């Protein structure tokens, strides 16, 4: 594999490895309604993937309403409780576990970096059949700022002991792509979170694929090389 061992993959979680975006949308809607704020589902979806603080600030800016510190705590509490109730609906995205297993087989390190809190991320990672204590997992609890700031991906690369410039960020939202760009990492977008290919490309994605299974089929396009992927054309004599 040669220099390929210096590569690393840094994955977002919700909408990238697990099909959980819409459960989060519903949970945020219920949380906002708990303090008397009603917003259309699409407005909430457009901000999924941002840090919780920026997420709330953006949505509240649209409503023009001020909130108290107690209301913010209430929103966060209801979101966590509602998402926990909906967790049974969450499934791994097609090819997610197979993609991680293949990278492991090839000796390419990977980590998960999510804007979510550790408590929620632990439960979501378990959907993949993974133990949060046994994998490199970076959450909002570990950094000063979450996406679209680059902190999560920088911390994930540092945990793996690789240069961020040799890492491939994989995410499903424009916030992932913007954070990767600010970190100076190559980024790959997935359509499995609901953003369009054009949006992901405009935000900085180098390539866009349907889901983890589609990325797995095209690993060579993002610089992964392995002996068993290669074949040689034989010129006719």
């Amino acid at each position: 594999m040669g220099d390929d061992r210096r590569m690393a993959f840094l994955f977002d979680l919700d909408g990238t490895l697990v099909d959980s975006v819409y459960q989060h949308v519903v949970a945020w809607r219920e949380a906002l309604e708990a303090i008397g704020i009603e917003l259309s589902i699409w407005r909430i979806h457009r901000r999924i993937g941002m840090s919780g603080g920026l997420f709330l600030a953006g949505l509240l800016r649209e409503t023009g309403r001020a909130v108290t510190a107690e209301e913010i705590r209430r929103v966060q509490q209801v979101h966590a409780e509602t998402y926990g109730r909906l967790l049974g609906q969450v499934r791994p995205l097609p090819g997610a576990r197979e993609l991680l297993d293949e990278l492991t087989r090839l000796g390419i390190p990977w980590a998960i970096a999510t804007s979510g809190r550790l408590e929620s991320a632990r439960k979501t990672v378990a959907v993949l059949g993974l133990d949060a204590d046994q994998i490199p997992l970076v959450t909002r609890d570990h950094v000063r700022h979450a996406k679209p700031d680059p902190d999560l991906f920088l911390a994930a690369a540092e945990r793996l002991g690789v240069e961020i410039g040799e890492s491939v960020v994989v995410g499903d939202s424009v916030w992932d792509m913007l954070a990767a760009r600010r970190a100076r990492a190559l980024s790959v977008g997935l359509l499995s979170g609901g953003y369009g290919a054009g949006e992901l490309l405009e935000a900085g994605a180098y390539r866009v694929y349907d889901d983890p299974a589609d990325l797995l089929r095209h690993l060579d396009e993002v610089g992964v090389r392995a002996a068993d992927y290669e074949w040689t054309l034989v010129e006719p004599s």
Side-chain angles (χ1 to χ4, degrees):
M1 269 184 289
D3 287 345
D4 284 347
R5 290 189 179 276
R6 297 189 304 162
M7 291 184 66
F9 279 73
L10 312 178
F11 291 94
D12 173 52
L13 181 58
D14 296 294
T16 298
L17 294 173
V18 293
D19 195 7
S20 56
V21 168
Y22 296 102
Q23 283 76 20
H24 275 294
V25 169
V26 170
W28 280 117
R29 182 178 66 175
E30 289 196 19
L32 290 167
E33 288 179 347
I35 62 168
I37 295 176
E38 294 188 8
L39 283 172
S40 300
I41 283 285
W42 72 269
R43 291 188 182 277
I44 298 172
H45 175 255
R46 300 298 295 175
R47 296 183 183 276
I48 292 292
M50 300 178 74
S51 74
L54 289 179
F55 173 89
L56 286 174
L59 290 177
L60 294 174
R61 184 172 60 245
E62 293 183 25
T63 68
R65 175 185 161 176
V67 294
T68 65
E70 179 56 36
E71 285 178 318
I72 291 175
R73 283 192 291 271
R74 175 64 175 156
V75 166
Q76 293 172 333
Q77 176 189 2
V78 174
H79 170 267
E81 292 173 352
T82 305
Y83 179 70
R85 191 174 71 245
L86 298 173
L87 188 64
Q89 302 174 5
V90 175
R91 302 288 184 273
L93 281 160
R97 186 57 194 265
E98 291 81 358
L99 174 58
L100 298 179
D101 288 345
E102 178 66 359
L103 293 176
T104 300
R105 185 185 76 83
L106 295 174
I108 298 175
W110 53 267
I112 296 175
T114 174
S115 292
R117 293 287 179 178
L118 181 59
E119 180 182 0
S120 174
R122 280 181 176 278
K123 299 173 183 176
T124 305
V125 162
V127 172
L128 290 165
L130 299 173
D131 182 344
D133 293 324
Q134 302 299 318
I135 62 171
L137 173 65
V138 179
T139 71
R140 181 66 182 86
D141 310 80
H142 300 126
V143 296
R144 183 176 181 183
H145 299 296
K147 306 163 194 173
D149 285 272
D151 301 25
L152 282 164
F153 294 131
L154 292 171
E158 182 178 3
R159 183 169 297 188
L160 293 177
V162 300
E163 295 292 330
I164 189 63
E166 296 173 341
S167 303
V168 178
V169 168
V170 183
D172 65 288
S173 75
V174 297
W175 315 113
D176 296 314
M177 304 301 103
L178 290 171
R181 176 182 283 185
R182 294 177 67 183
R184 301 186 183 279
L186 187 72
S187 62
V188 170
L190 301 183
L191 301 178
S192 43
Y195 279 89
E199 294 175 293
L200 296 172
L201 290 168
E202 287 180 7
Y206 171 67
R207 288 285 187 271
V208 175
Y209 301 100
D210 291 341
D211 54 24
D214 195 24
L215 172 56
L216 177 58
R217 289 191 293 269
H218 296 90
L219 276 178
D220 58 308
E221 295 182 354
V222 294
V224 175
R225 297 176 59 126
D228 54 349
Y229 286 174
E230 297 178 2
W231 51 282
T232 304
L233 284 174
V234 178
E235 296 293 337
S237 57

